[in-house]
Amino acid sequence: MPWTETTRRQYERRCPRYASDLTDEEWALIEPMMPAPNRIGRPRKTELREIVNALLY
């Protein structure tokens, strides 16, 4: 069955993908300690939260 607006709502995730993924409250504690984006060079392509989630996985 192809994705439609009806089926998309049915399978929407409202929780973390894995048990080790950070909650919003945990990320709020860690985020201020993450390095700020560098003004020189390329912009980031990967979210830091996803990197931390991968390390915890």
Side-chain angles (χ1 to χ4, degrees):
M1 170 185 269
W3 287 100
T4 63
E5 291 306 313
T6 305
T7 57
R8 189 174 306 276
R9 274 186 258 122
Q10 180 181 359
Y11 295 107
E12 182 180 45
R13 276 193 208 119
R14 295 192 178 142
C15 61
R17 193 174 297 170
Y18 300 106
S20 60
D21 284 359
L22 295 171
T23 63
D24 291 336
E25 293 82 21
E26 291 169 334
W27 179 245
L29 292 172
I30 295 173
E31 187 177 21
M33 296 179 234
M34 293 289 130
N38 196 350
R39 293 184 300 154
I40 301 171
R42 285 187 266 173
R44 287 186 183 146
K45 291 185 179 181
T46 308
E47 294 289 326
L48 292 179
R49 184 174 183 166
E50 293 302 317
I51 293 170
V52 173
N53 282 338
L55 290 170
L56 293 175
Y57 178 75

